[in-house]
Amino acid sequence: MSEASVIITGAARGIGLAIARDVVKRGQRAVLLDRDNPLLDTALESLGPLARGLVVDMSEADAVGLAINELTGEWAPTHLVNNAGILGRKMSFHEMDPDEIDRVLAVNLRSVLLATSAFLRARRPLQSAAIVNMTSIAGVNGGAPGLSVYGATKGAILALTRAMARDLAPEIRVNAIAPGIIATDMQKGVFASEAALQEVVTAIPQKRLGSPDDVAEAAGWLLFGAHYTTGEMIRVAGGRI
Ligand SMILES: NC(=O)c1ccc[n+]([C@@H]2O[C@H](COP(=O)([O-])OP(=O)(O)OC[C@H]3O[C@@H](n4cnc5c(N)ncnc54)[C@H](O)[C@@H]3O)[C@@H](O)[C@H]2O)c1
């Protein structure tokens, strides 16, 4: 029986879509939020009747509130995965573009606050209630050169995860996942060449990139298991730190 209804932001492709697939495979409902309408339609076709999609730009406060508020009855959310994120344009500390800083902060960080508060207003209480926040090992190590704003948003999500875990206990567990390098569209263009990518892979203790399913496996545990785990971060990074 599908008891749970899991909102997943940024779920039309990549890690978010893999989490949605896992939720549906468990017989639970998945609500995919994404700004990319055609991509979302394709994702929904592959997921079937336990999935539903809402086109929303997670950086727009009113739109996020309105979209989540639409979810009532059996679709009223019981769980939330704050996954939407962008790398942003590479910028050195010598030439920061204030508009680009604001854009990355809005999509990666402000959206977590907005989606969480909308979720709390709309939610249907369930024993296993949980929130999973997608951070990154960049949130711990500062991130790649030129991507410091991205790293800063992911570091802030770690602090937020601890604050949320404390404030929302005992009803809702809140944990974070810190992926390493996962083979998704986001990674395309990060490495200057195939040789540069191979060099990075060689430095990963498990000698391969992660897959979206590797991350979804951890998310599934944090959402539906992990009964006495809250405020924690799990790395899914093949041993990379
Ligand atoms: N891929 C990696 O190596 C990696 C590593 C560490 C952390 N992460 C994190 O995992 C999450 C997912 O990454 P991914 O690799 O699957 O990315 P992706 O770019 O493949 O997919 C991201 C999805 O989010 C959507 N999205 C982006 N901005 C949005 C917005 N403003 N509103 C609504 N939807 C929006 C996109 O349309 C897309 O469907 C991100 O938070 C990312 O920072 C990824």
Side-chain angles (χ1 to χ4, degrees), residues 101-123:
I101 295 172
D102 286 349
R103 188 175 76 96
V104 178
L105 289 174
V107 178
N108 290 9
L109 182 58
R110 206 171 62 127
S111 74
V112 176
L113 295 160
L114 296 174
T116 300
S117 61
F119 163 78
L120 292 172
R121 288 192 297 274
R123 94 181 179 99

Side-chain angles (χ1 to χ4, degrees), residues 17-175:
L17 179 56
I19 294 172
R21 218 181 286 122
D22 179 71
V23 166
V24 166
K25 215 187 278 171
R26 291 167 185 266
Q28 307 300 324
R29 285 170 207 280
V31 182
L32 288 69
L33 268 53
D34 207 287
R35 66 179 171 189
D36 189 324
N37 202 346
L39 207 60
L40 191 56
D41 283 345
T42 310
L44 290 171
E45 273 170 33
S46 72
L47 290 170
L50 281 176
R52 177 174 165 180
L54 296 170
V55 179
V56 57
D57 183 333
M58 294 306 299
S59 64
E60 288 179 12
D62 291 347
V64 172
L66 285 172
I68 293 178
N69 212 28
E70 267 183 45
L71 300 168
T72 54
E74 56 198 3
W75 291 98
T78 57
H79 295 65
L80 169 67
V81 181
N82 284 308
N83 169 74
I86 53 171
L87 278 178
R89 189 159 51 75
K90 278 198 174 182
M91 294 186 287
S92 83
F93 284 107
H94 301 281
E95 32 128 21
M96 283 283 166
D97 171 350
D99 291 338
E100 183 64 359
I101 295 172
D102 286 349
R103 188 175 76 96
V104 178
L105 289 174
V107 178
N108 290 9
L109 182 58
R110 206 171 62 127
S111 74
V112 176
L113 295 160
L114 296 174
T116 300
S117 61
F119 163 78
L120 292 172
R121 288 192 297 274
R123 94 181 179 99
R124 174 165 52 87
L126 202 66
Q127 182 103 41
S128 66
I131 296 176
V132 172
N133 294 328
M134 205 56 69
T135 175
S136 166
I137 57 168
V140 180
N141 67 24
L147 295 174
S148 53
V149 183
Y150 175 80
T153 60
K154 294 302 183 179
I157 288 175
L158 286 175
L160 256 186
T161 300
R162 295 198 190 96
M164 287 162 68
R166 179 198 59 216
D167 288 2
L168 302 181
E171 288 84 10
I172 306 174
R173 294 174 300 101
V174 186
N175 292 288

Side-chain angles (χ1 to χ4, degrees), residues 204-221:
I204 299 172
Q206 284 193 243
K207 304 292 178 214
R208 68 169 177 89
L209 298 185
S211 72
D213 287 340
D214 288 326
V215 183
E217 186 184 18
W221 181 67

